[in-house]
Amino acid sequence: MELTVFTLFLSGVIVTSAASFCDTTATSTASPQAAPKLPQIPSVFQTRIELNIVDKNTTVDVLQYFDYDGNRVRIDTLKDAIQGSIIYSFDTAEIFYVTNGFCSVGMINSSMAMSLFGEMKDDGRWHVLDSSYALKFGSSYNETYMGQDSIRGIFVNHWRSCYKWPGGNLTYSIDYYFSVDGAWNTSSSFVSVPVRAEVMGPGRAGPIHHVYDFFNFMPSLPDDVTSVFETPKGVICPGRINTGRLPQIPSQFYYRVEIISEIVNFVTTYDVWYDEKYKLIRTDYRPMTSAPPTYNTNPLTEIQDFNGGVRYLSDNTYGNCSVLSLPSQSFGAAENMTAMKTNGSFVLHIKNPLQLFKLDSNFTYVGKRKCRQMLCVVFSAKRPYLVEGMGMANATIEFYFLDDAFTNYPNNGRAATRDVPVMMTIDIDDVDFHQAMNFMDFDGNHPDLSVFDVSSCFSQSAKVHFKVRFPGVLQPALTDSFIYNARQQLGETMKVSPIRIQDVRVEYDMADVYVLASLLDRTSPTAQFTFTRGQKSEYTDDFIFKSIIDPVMCAKLCVEFDNFTCNSFDFCPGDPQGSCRLSRRHISEGSTHLVKGGGCDHFSRTVNGPVMKEKDMNEAYMLLKNAIVSKNFLVQVIIETVPLTTFVGVDLTITYGWIQAATTPVIQNFFSYSQEIVIPQYGQIFVSKVWYSKDYKLVRYDFHNTKPTSPYYSTNPMTIIHDFNTGIQYALDRLYENCTIAAIKAGAFDSTLDFSELIKDGSYVVALKNPMDIFHLTPQMRFIGQRTVRDFLTNVYETVMKNFTMPGLNGSFTAIIEYYFIVNGWVESASSDTGGTQQFLVKTDIIIVEKALVITTNYFDFEYYEPDLTLFDVKKCFTSTDQHTFQVTFPGKFHPYLDIYQKVFQLETLEMMSKATGASILRFQELSLNYDPYNVYISATILGRPPFLTEFTKLSILMKNLGSNAVYSNLKSAEDCANACLSTNKFPCNSFDFCPDSSKCYLSSRHISTGKQPSTNTSCLHYTKTANASVSPAPTMLVAYNNLKNAVYSGLFKVEIKTSNFTKLYTASTIKDTIPRPSDAVQGGQMMKHFAVFKQNCIMARSDLSISGVAVDDCATECLMEELFDCQSFVYCPGEGLCLLNRLHPDLNQTLVQPHKFCNLYIRQYLDHYNARPGVTFPGNADNIILAVQTPNICAKQCTVTDNCKSFDYCADTKTCRLKNTHELDAPSAVFQAAPDCNHYSRKYIDDFKFVQGKEMHFGKVLEFDGVSEDQCAKLCIEEESVHCQTFAYCGNYTKCKLMSSTPKHLGPGYITSSDFCNLYIRVYNPSSPVPGNSSTVIYEQTSQQSPKADLGLLLGTSFGGLILGLVFGGGVVYFFRKYKRKDDHMTMNILENESD
């Protein structure tokens, strides 16, 4: 094979004579003076050459690459249909001869071509000669210019030289033809390129004649210059020098590999996680064929655990998981050959990283190539390779690693710059097999152990979820380090494999850090062994158990055996010497150490068993618990910027699992809760509130439908109240405040048919569900573990109900129900609770199997307290004629007996009312309590009877078989018949038949009709009482009220409060009618800001004025506007709308302030009108000094009512109030004097004005000031007498103040304009000015001179009653007269809200 362009002609040359074929003068047509300059050959070039060997009638195609700077040459040839390449590697002094995919290696120093291409440098390294020497053209070759010519139509300069072959005595002529510079344009950037070279001279068989035509001569190399001078893909050159470092794969990593197999035309993808330290490998893949053990092609996750010798195989479609022993052909498994050679043991271990990538020392560096647009370093080897379906075959393997010039940025983890695998190719020599593996997203960091999560392969009974509390504050930067170290510490403390610690996460608050994790139980013993049927070990067993009939038990004995590490066992059930035989050895299927016979099966571990027995779940948990109790569970974290921090575990709790036992919960007879019902399939959430009382047979249900459904077809908020005493349902629309009364239907969430009545004679009687049935709790439910719901621990129970029904579902279905109850020791404080509740329901999950419907109900605010009966308010279902309000007086003191037992007193009173009247307890509404020092007052409203027919359920059957206890004639409607049934006192009437045709009504004490069939063929309607009737009929409202009055005045209405400390009996003395009470007014208004409120307090002193039926802001207005006395405080009782004005300020005598449950105290807040400067006093002498002033508020009052007082100093230590006629704005440059016990207060002039933004007024006399603040402008308006300032405008862009004598109300809207920079301030209040007189006569209700403590009580007692109506109506008339008479006085009342309009 030819070595280079100008050695090709040597083929066949034999030096036989010294004949010369070279003559440089014979044909020269040009003089030396006309010769052009010799063309310069570039140091780097590529060219295509057509070599015509004329003397052999042969053509050879040549492609030559020359790189002087890179010290390399390559020549590709095509001759006789044979492709070949010669690659000169001067750096390694090697030549690679490649022909048809085969490669041989030669040495440059022994090559004949060395004299043409290379030379030895001073450093002893070979280097390619320059390009002129390679082409044998240049001044050193003594070329003779022969003139110009035309070659292939190209104008050329012709040179000739005589070349003497080294080592021989032959001379050859070389004619060179270069394109003429300037006369011919070349296709490259080089102006003069070689076009032809012609060699003639002696040869072996005669003269030779070679013609070299140059094409596409380029003074450059291809873009992929690196791969040009490397051996081709898939070519192995045995014996070549290895110059590259075999990559060091990290001992942990993640990558995704894309496998492309051309022979079967498929592409598949694997995800691989590998961690040699933890001996764990995970692969996510999809099998190409349906084969064992899954027998499908679903996506799989396989986790190989070389600690226990098992693999976890999860089907990602079906969600199931299989735990199997590791097979020998596992992706990450390698056989321990040392153990096999030593004693024949079959032991697997995890492959090291190089083994996993099938790399070893046989791989040789072959150079750099482009791969997927990346520069890669390439290693290759020829070695046996296992191909699925083909077995072992010789393969050429090339591995591509990312060049160091590139940086790999994985999707997660740090950037890696070295040893990143990019691609591997496998080519089988004997068959047409090619496979490529593209490695992507390579991450050389430790995979988080959460990726090896096998918890789904364990049942709930085989795992426990727990939480560890660490006091301290965790910086966010330490979170990842904390989780990693906590996992390590958990594994070491519990002495378990890392894979058994799962779902480790961290939560923290302001004081503590919490580690939450799951502990898995040991892997099933049977999964740790491979199975060989019908064979046993030939060795003597190390230990034998007799009478073991189950191989599972034998496997468990092997795993838990303490005397030695058991690695295999034989199970021989028919052997009398022993059925379970344990051995230290590993012996696998196919081993020569297994023999047939004996009725035995052999089981062997695939990895070495642990030296110490593996801890089960309970043992591991107790180890952790003991470490925490002894304060030995430490987690230390450190990063570069944060010093070492140590956290000590102090508390361990179970969040879900089997560690703690649980008792079956019991729901009490009274409760309330809010619930959130979530139905994911429908994308709906329903929120409602429930109150339940079994004792009172009352249920309330508040809900809000998202869609209009029957029977109300409303989306308004609704309240349903069920009275199971009467069988009546009250449905209230809370938006429109209308009400519908009907019979309770069986099958509601709280109602069912009375089973005792049903089995007796088929009677239809609706009964209240017991508490357990409300939540579908059954005795068959079973405890299944513990779980955290909404951050607290719950016991979880499960049951299956075959005939499950609920409102909204048509029919009965099979339901799986899970109940979540809070565990003992956890406490939830409900919103209205005074204590905690235990073992209450938190959540239920209901799965309707046939409908694949999931219903989740979350329970909130659960209380085991008797619901307040005021919640069952049905007053809106009755007209005013069916309501009567009254008040009962109980002589006796409220304090101290009812401070705690007020609710008990009200409830006992309510029950006494029901008992005394014979009316349902639901008919007493709006119960309230008040008191004075001598009496307790109970007010309530009694309701009339609901419509008679609402207590009955009409049955759909037409009754003909009639029987009765009584018969009524001439009744026109079923309503009349119902009235007759409810009014009889001869027997408990439970049903009636109404026959419209005969107008007859048949009453019966039974719920079904009995008796003879009527003579006519008419049909009658049957109504049954929804609830069982009583002998005594329900009274009308008048009868009930008369019964109540009789009980009071006969001394029979008594309420007893009995405790372990005292017994107090209250006997009602009087009962009276009362007028309807005003509703609570919303507190607010302009005047409220002048008062400070002390809730549930009052002044136990004589009031100066009382007003009834007013709102609190009106009461505040009356206090501020009072003309006859200086009102300093008022007491307001919202329940009665009672306003008590007083000239006393509580700051002067705080002993007068006493607690009161139903009234609030409001005191004048003068300090609101002053700016405070703490710790300083204003310079200068005081204009007035007041001593013994108790509070700065009183001092502020003195300044407010004193003429010309603009500021004051108050010193708390001496109780001194120093009034001054100077404002801090009068002396802005004054230096305040430090006084730690004193404060300075200057008046807020701006408070006297109403603010209107973005307005300006143009009218009247205007006085302008520049360079002042808003506060200074307000001060000028109040103090400037020349303008009589009522309004000022302040323009902030140029600090201008405009004082005006009019208000917008006087001028009208035409004089008000918008402004971008100015705001309007309208004067509304001047506390220093006298209040204008009112010429109208005002009537005041003056209280009598009684003791201070008796005054409030008398007012409360008498104003609540209806017997002294003059007091109530009089107070109201006085108030309204005063209020509306003053509306036209804008200086003393609130300014109209739209003053500026």
Side-chain angles (χ1 to χ4, degrees), residues 552-716:
V552 176
M553 178 57 69
C554 192
K556 186 176 181 181
L557 291 171
C558 183
V559 168
E560 297 185 356
F561 198 67
D562 290 326
N563 294 356
F564 57 83
T565 301
C566 177
N567 285 310
S568 67
F569 66 89
D570 294 326
F571 180 67
C572 309
D575 194 329
Q577 295 182 357
S579 55
C580 179
R581 304 176 175 184
L582 311 185
S583 175
R584 291 181 173 87
R585 296 177 177 84
H586 295 269
I587 303 174
S588 66
E589 182 179 6
S591 171
T592 57
H593 300 290
L594 287 180
V595 295
K596 294 183 179 181
C600 299
D601 296 324
H602 182 72
F603 298 81
S604 179
R605 289 184 188 267
T606 54
V607 299
N608 280 321
V611 176
M612 299 296 294
K613 184 183 72 172
E614 192 177 11
K615 303 297 181 182
D616 64 23
M617 187 170 63
N618 290 336
E619 292 171 336
Y621 181 80
M622 292 309 298
L623 287 173
L624 177 61
K625 183 177 181 179
N626 293 336
I628 291 175
V629 170
S630 60
K631 301 295 188 294
N632 289 325
F633 186 71
L634 311 178
V635 176
Q636 294 183 324
V637 288
I638 185 171
I639 58 176
E640 294 179 356
T641 58
V642 180
L644 177 66
T645 306
T646 301
F647 293 85
V648 181
V650 297
D651 185 47
L652 175 65
T653 57
I654 298 292
T655 58
Y656 189 83
W658 288 89
I659 298 299
Q660 296 182 2
T663 58
T664 303
V666 176
I667 303 295
Q668 298 183 24
N669 288 340
F670 36 78
F671 52 80
S672 65
Y673 60 86
S674 297
Q675 63 181 358
E676 173 192 69
I677 303 174
V678 183
I679 308 179
Q681 287 90 328
Y682 298 158
Q684 291 184 335
I685 299 176
F686 302 93
V687 179
S688 58
K689 176 78 176 179
V690 174
W691 294 264
Y692 174 97
S693 174
K694 185 178 181 181
D695 296 337
Y696 293 112
K697 296 183 179 180
L698 295 174
V699 177
R700 172 175 169 175
Y701 176 58
D702 288 2
F703 65 97
H704 192 167
N705 276 340
T706 57
K707 296 180 180 179
T709 57
S710 64
Y712 310 109
Y713 298 98
S714 172
T715 58
N716 296 336

Side-chain angles (χ1 to χ4, degrees), residues 1073-1128:
D1073 299 334
T1074 61
I1075 63 172
R1077 293 160 292 184
S1079 61
D1080 292 350
V1082 177
Q1083 297 188 12
Q1086 176 87 3
M1087 297 305 179
M1088 294 303 298
K1089 68 180 183 179
H1090 299 292
F1091 295 87
V1093 60
F1094 296 87
K1095 292 187 177 181
Q1096 294 186 335
N1097 280 280
C1098 69
I1099 295 181
M1100 298 301 282
R1102 184 183 68 252
S1103 62
D1104 294 285
L1105 179 66
S1106 66
I1107 309 173
S1108 298
V1110 299
V1112 65
D1113 56 340
D1114 296 322
C1115 191
T1117 301
E1118 286 299 317
C1119 185
L1120 291 173
M1121 298 294 105
E1122 180 54 51
E1123 302 171 9
L1124 300 182
F1125 61 90
D1126 184 13
C1127 180
Q1128 294 297 312

Side-chain angles (χ1 to χ4, degrees), residues 428-603:
I428 305 298
D429 298 341
D430 301 330
V431 295
D432 185 16
F433 177 88
H434 175 76
Q435 190 176 77
M437 299 181 183
N438 291 310
F439 301 99
M440 296 167 286
D441 196 22
F442 185 87
D443 180 4
N445 298 291
H446 270 290
D448 190 279
L449 283 174
S450 61
V451 304
F452 303 105
D453 187 355
V454 295
S455 55
S456 62
C457 301
F458 291 78
S459 66
Q460 292 297 337
S461 61
K463 52 189 170 186
V464 61
H465 310 274
F466 60 90
K467 178 168 65 176
V468 182
R469 180 171 67 89
F470 300 83
V473 178
L474 179 66
Q475 299 183 33
L478 296 174
T479 301
D480 291 341
S481 176
F482 186 88
I483 292 176
Y484 177 83
N485 292 336
R487 184 193 294 271
Q488 303 300 313
Q489 193 64 29
L490 286 170
E492 293 176 8
T493 302
M494 293 192 280
K495 302 186 185 307
V496 297
S497 166
I499 202 171
R500 291 181 58 186
I501 307 294
Q502 295 292 343
D503 194 25
V504 181
R505 60 194 188 279
V506 166
E507 297 175 357
Y508 46 84
D509 54 28
M510 298 298 293
D512 296 299
V513 182
Y514 304 90
V515 171
L516 294 91
S518 301
L519 171 64
L520 305 182
D521 208 348
R522 296 178 300 188
T523 306
S524 170
T526 55
Q528 302 179 36
F529 297 88
T530 58
F531 170 62
T532 306
R533 185 184 299 277
Q535 297 189 47
K536 65 178 181 179
S537 172
E538 68 176 2
Y539 295 107
T540 302
D541 301 298
D542 294 303
F543 199 89
I544 299 177
F545 288 95
K546 296 182 178 181
S547 303
I548 302 299
I549 60 174
D550 186 357
V552 176
M553 178 57 69
C554 192
K556 186 176 181 181
L557 291 171
C558 183
V559 168
E560 297 185 356
F561 198 67
D562 290 326
N563 294 356
F564 57 83
T565 301
C566 177
N567 285 310
S568 67
F569 66 89
D570 294 326
F571 180 67
C572 309
D575 194 329
Q577 295 182 357
S579 55
C580 179
R581 304 176 175 184
L582 311 185
S583 175
R584 291 181 173 87
R585 296 177 177 84
H586 295 269
I587 303 174
S588 66
E589 182 179 6
S591 171
T592 57
H593 300 290
L594 287 180
V595 295
K596 294 183 179 181
C600 299
D601 296 324
H602 182 72
F603 298 81

Side-chain angles (χ1 to χ4, degrees), residues 1201-1348:
V1201 300
T1202 301
D1203 292 341
N1204 297 322
C1205 181
K1206 300 177 182 178
S1207 67
F1208 65 89
D1209 294 330
Y1210 179 78
C1211 299
D1213 57 340
T1214 60
K1215 306 294 182 184
T1216 303
C1217 176
R1218 304 168 60 86
L1219 307 185
K1220 300 189 177 186
N1221 296 339
T1222 306
H1223 195 278
E1224 65 179 356
L1225 295 177
D1226 296 331
S1229 60
V1231 178
F1232 283 88
Q1233 299 171 353
D1237 295 320
C1238 301
N1239 297 328
H1240 174 76
Y1241 300 85
S1242 281
R1243 183 179 165 194
K1244 295 180 182 176
Y1245 290 102
I1246 203 73
D1247 279 358
D1248 293 352
F1249 296 85
K1250 179 181 179 180
F1251 173 71
V1252 183
Q1253 186 175 8
K1255 298 290 184 180
E1256 193 172 5
M1257 188 172 74
H1258 302 280
F1259 185 81
K1261 186 176 180 180
V1262 177
L1263 187 62
E1264 295 188 355
F1265 297 88
D1266 292 325
V1268 298
S1269 66
E1270 286 175 295
D1271 285 335
Q1272 290 171 325
C1273 192
K1275 179 174 182 295
L1276 290 169
C1277 183
I1278 290 174
E1279 297 180 348
E1280 183 59 50
E1281 298 180 354
S1282 61
V1283 184
H1284 299 291
C1285 179
Q1286 299 295 321
T1287 306
F1288 73 86
Y1290 184 78
C1291 304
N1293 60 330
Y1294 47 88
T1295 62
K1296 181 178 288 296
C1297 171
K1298 302 178 182 180
L1299 308 185
M1300 290 162 278
S1301 58
S1302 299
T1303 67
K1305 182 176 180 182
H1306 293 152
L1307 300 178
Y1311 297 93
I1312 307 300
T1313 61
S1314 298
S1315 174
D1316 293 333
F1317 303 105
C1318 299
N1319 299 317
L1320 206 59
Y1321 294 82
I1322 306 163
R1323 192 170 183 179
V1324 296
Y1325 186 64
N1326 189 346
S1328 298
S1329 301
V1331 178
N1334 194 329
S1335 59
S1336 304
T1337 302
V1338 181
I1339 302 174
Y1340 295 95
E1341 188 69 33
Q1342 193 70 30
T1343 60
S1344 60
Q1345 299 296 321
Q1346 300 184 24
S1347 64

Side-chain angles (χ1 to χ4, degrees), residues 947-958:
F948 307 118
L949 207 55
T950 58
E951 295 191 34
F952 294 87
T953 299
K954 179 183 176 182
L955 299 186
S956 59
I957 58 175
L958 298 176

Side-chain angles (χ1 to χ4, degrees), residues 638-803:
I638 185 171
I639 58 176
E640 294 179 356
T641 58
V642 180
L644 177 66
T645 306
T646 301
F647 293 85
V648 181
V650 297
D651 185 47
L652 175 65
T653 57
I654 298 292
T655 58
Y656 189 83
W658 288 89
I659 298 299
Q660 296 182 2
T663 58
T664 303
V666 176
I667 303 295
Q668 298 183 24
N669 288 340
F670 36 78
F671 52 80
S672 65
Y673 60 86
S674 297
Q675 63 181 358
E676 173 192 69
I677 303 174
V678 183
I679 308 179
Q681 287 90 328
Y682 298 158
Q684 291 184 335
I685 299 176
F686 302 93
V687 179
S688 58
K689 176 78 176 179
V690 174
W691 294 264
Y692 174 97
S693 174
K694 185 178 181 181
D695 296 337
Y696 293 112
K697 296 183 179 180
L698 295 174
V699 177
R700 172 175 169 175
Y701 176 58
D702 288 2
F703 65 97
H704 192 167
N705 276 340
T706 57
K707 296 180 180 179
T709 57
S710 64
Y712 310 109
Y713 298 98
S714 172
T715 58
N716 296 336
M718 299 289 294
T719 291
I720 303 294
I721 295 176
H722 283 173
D723 181 4
F724 286 90
N725 300 284
T726 60
I728 294 178
Q729 170 182 288
Y730 300 88
L732 296 94
D733 187 316
R734 298 201 301 276
L735 180 63
Y736 295 147
E737 297 191 346
N738 52 28
C739 177
T740 303
I741 306 177
I744 301 174
K745 293 183 179 180
F749 87 98
D750 59 344
S751 63
T752 184
L753 288 177
D754 189 325
F755 185 71
S756 62
E757 296 287 345
L758 187 65
I759 62 173
K760 183 168 61 177
D761 53 11
S763 297
Y764 180 93
V765 179
V766 174
L768 173 65
K769 284 183 178 178
N770 66 53
M772 300 290 281
D773 291 337
I774 290 285
F775 302 102
H776 311 289
L777 297 170
T778 68
Q780 290 75 32
M781 65 183 184
R782 63 187 182 90
F783 175 68
I784 62 172
Q786 294 175 322
R787 193 175 304 168
T788 297
V789 175
R790 304 202 305 269
D791 292 330
F792 48 79
L793 187 62
T794 62
N795 290 328
V796 187
Y797 301 83
E798 184 181 71
T799 190
V800 178
M801 300 185 67
K802 296 296 184 183
N803 297 303

Side-chain angles (χ1 to χ4, degrees), residues 1159-1194:
C1159 301
N1160 300 322
L1161 173 63
Y1162 295 82
I1163 64 174
R1164 287 286 291 270
Q1165 189 72 356
Y1166 295 95
L1167 280 177
D1168 283 352
H1169 298 289
Y1170 294 85
N1171 288 316
R1173 282 179 176 261
V1176 298
T1177 59
F1178 195 67
N1181 296 324
D1183 296 289
N1184 192 5
I1185 299 177
I1186 306 173
L1187 303 177
V1189 178
Q1190 298 301 313
T1191 65
N1193 193 45
I1194 296 299

Side-chain angles (χ1 to χ4, degrees), residues 212-484:
Y212 302 83
D213 281 324
F214 295 84
F215 301 92
N216 298 336
F217 187 90
M218 303 285 291
S220 63
L221 293 171
D223 292 338
D224 189 12
V225 64
T226 303
S227 60
V228 167
F229 298 97
E230 304 293 351
T231 52
K233 291 182 180 180
V235 174
I236 303 297
C237 298
R240 71 180 297 171
I241 299 173
N242 191 2
T243 60
R245 175 187 61 88
L246 190 65
Q248 298 298 311
I249 307 296
S251 59
Q252 67 285 317
F253 49 77
Y254 159 80
Y255 65 83
R256 170 169 289 185
V257 59
E258 175 190 65
I259 302 175
I260 305 170
S261 184
E262 297 178 358
I263 190 171
V264 292
N265 296 326
F266 78 76
V267 179
T268 187
T269 304
Y270 283 62
D271 286 281
V272 178
W273 291 262
Y274 173 92
D275 200 313
E276 188 178 28
K277 175 182 177 181
Y278 294 117
K279 299 181 182 179
L280 296 171
I281 298 177
R282 169 179 166 177
T283 54
D284 288 3
Y285 62 98
R286 180 192 292 272
M288 292 294 100
T289 59
S290 180
T294 59
Y295 296 97
N296 60 44
T297 58
N298 295 337
L300 301 176
T301 291
E302 180 174 338
I303 296 176
Q304 299 175 2
D305 179 11
F306 288 87
N307 299 285
V310 295
R311 61 172 175 158
Y312 302 87
L313 202 59
S314 298
D315 188 313
N316 295 328
T317 299
Y318 295 143
N320 52 25
C321 177
S322 302
V323 185
L324 309 167
S325 61
L326 278 174
S328 59
Q329 301 301 324
S330 296
F331 165 72
E335 188 174 349
N336 187 332
M337 299 308 299
T338 302
M340 175 61 72
K341 294 176 181 178
T342 301
N343 54 20
S345 295
F346 170 74
V347 184
L348 297 179
H349 62 80
I350 189 171
K351 290 180 178 177
N352 64 44
L354 290 178
Q355 288 175 318
L356 199 73
F357 284 101
K358 300 178 175 58
L359 289 169
D360 55 30
S361 59
N362 293 323
F363 276 81
T364 303
Y365 173 75
V366 298
K368 297 183 180 182
R369 298 194 199 121
K370 280 290 186 69
C371 175
R372 303 203 319 260
Q373 306 304 313
M374 296 176 284
L375 183 62
C376 296
V377 294
V378 186
F379 294 81
S380 66
K382 186 179 291 290
R383 52 176 294 177
Y385 185 80
L386 178 64
V387 181
E388 187 174 354
M390 297 176 57
M392 297 298 295
N394 285 328
T396 298
I397 302 176
E398 288 193 326
F399 217 112
Y400 295 73
F401 287 88
L402 191 66
D403 187 74
D404 289 349
F406 281 73
T407 301
N408 174 53
Y409 291 96
N411 193 35
N412 293 299
R414 302 186 300 270
T417 57
R418 300 176 65 86
D419 302 332
V420 177
V422 176
M423 187 175 72
M424 182 172 71
T425 61
I426 302 101
D427 292 277
I428 305 298
D429 298 341
D430 301 330
V431 295
D432 185 16
F433 177 88
H434 175 76
Q435 190 176 77
M437 299 181 183
N438 291 310
F439 301 99
M440 296 167 286
D441 196 22
F442 185 87
D443 180 4
N445 298 291
H446 270 290
D448 190 279
L449 283 174
S450 61
V451 304
F452 303 105
D453 187 355
V454 295
S455 55
S456 62
C457 301
F458 291 78
S459 66
Q460 292 297 337
S461 61
K463 52 189 170 186
V464 61
H465 310 274
F466 60 90
K467 178 168 65 176
V468 182
R469 180 171 67 89
F470 300 83
V473 178
L474 179 66
Q475 299 183 33
L478 296 174
T479 301
D480 291 341
S481 176
F482 186 88
I483 292 176
Y484 177 83

